[in-house]
Amino acid sequence: MNPHLTSSDITYWTRTDSPLGPLLLTADPSGALTSLSVPGQKGGREVADTWRHDPGPFRAAVEQLAAYFAGELKEFRLPLRTHGTAFRERVWAALDTVPYGATTTYGEIAARIGASRAAVRAVGGAIGANPLLVLRPCHRVIGADGTLTGYAGGLERKVRLLALEEALPAGPSRPL
């Protein structure tokens, strides 16, 4: 244990199985989830030596994720805590408003937060940096032309999540 760490610096972690592969969940000392990563995720987290493995703080998250993947849960009710720039936090809050079974576009997210059309690339960057895959539904954001654009967890996982929610957009450019 690092003697310079305080109790507020502690990160708890656990893994749980899912149809997307093993999910790595992290939480702060209050029990709020701080990240959910999938194997090979661009920008995903890796277990650090200073983290504490403890499945206790994650019971509700594991139960809700299992219900979601079984098609029995449409809205997560979990404490979440992320740290990003004010812009990223606004984008992430906008993601939280996209309902199960629906999709939106990068441009629509930009409009929701009052950003200009020129900010669409920045919105895409903020969405790509979402630390809470699945829980904060960045998989529901698609290109303006209906294409399934990038997903930090991989396009195959994005397709699986949208198929689960019966939200796959129609169109010839959709990867199968």
Side-chain angles (χ1 to χ4, degrees):
M1 178 81 181
N2 184 334
H4 301 291
L5 286 180
T6 66
S7 61
S8 63
D9 294 327
I10 296 170
T11 297
Y12 294 94
W13 71 275
T14 197
R15 289 193 204 280
T16 189
D17 290 330
S18 83
L20 305 178
L23 305 178
L24 172 64
L25 295 115
T26 62
D28 67 14
S30 76
L33 295 173
T34 55
S35 72
L36 185 156
S37 301
V38 297
Q41 174 184 331
K42 179 183 173 193
R45 298 191 79 182
E46 296 292 331
V47 176
D49 291 341
T50 57
W51 294 2
R52 289 189 187 167
H53 181 253
D54 182 356
F58 303 98
R59 284 191 183 97
V62 168
E63 288 172 9
Q64 288 185 38
L65 283 161
Y68 169 79
F69 288 119
E72 300 165 358
L73 181 79
K74 295 187 178 3
E75 187 175 329
F76 294 102
R77 299 208 179 273
L78 297 165
L80 308 176
R81 182 160 300 120
T82 53
H83 300 285
T85 64
F87 180 81
R88 283 185 174 182
E89 293 288 345
R90 287 195 339 261
V91 170
W92 296 340
L95 289 176
D96 290 339
T97 69
V98 182
Y100 182 99
T103 58
T104 190
T105 66
Y106 296 92
E108 290 167 350
I109 294 289
R112 281 185 200 185
I113 66 166
S116 70
R117 286 291 298 161
V120 169
R121 288 181 71 82
V123 166
I127 290 170
N130 171 22
L132 289 161
L133 292 192
V134 183
L135 301 173
R136 179 161 281 148
C138 55
H139 59 275
R140 297 179 188 152
V141 182
I142 62 173
D145 62 358
T147 56
L148 298 185
T149 53
Y151 183 63
L155 280 179
E156 178 184 314
R157 288 187 179 109
K158 184 172 190 162
V159 168
R160 291 186 77 159
L161 291 167
L162 291 174
L164 171 70
E165 296 182 10
E166 299 179 351
L168 280 173
S173 58
R174 185 181 82 218
L176 295 177

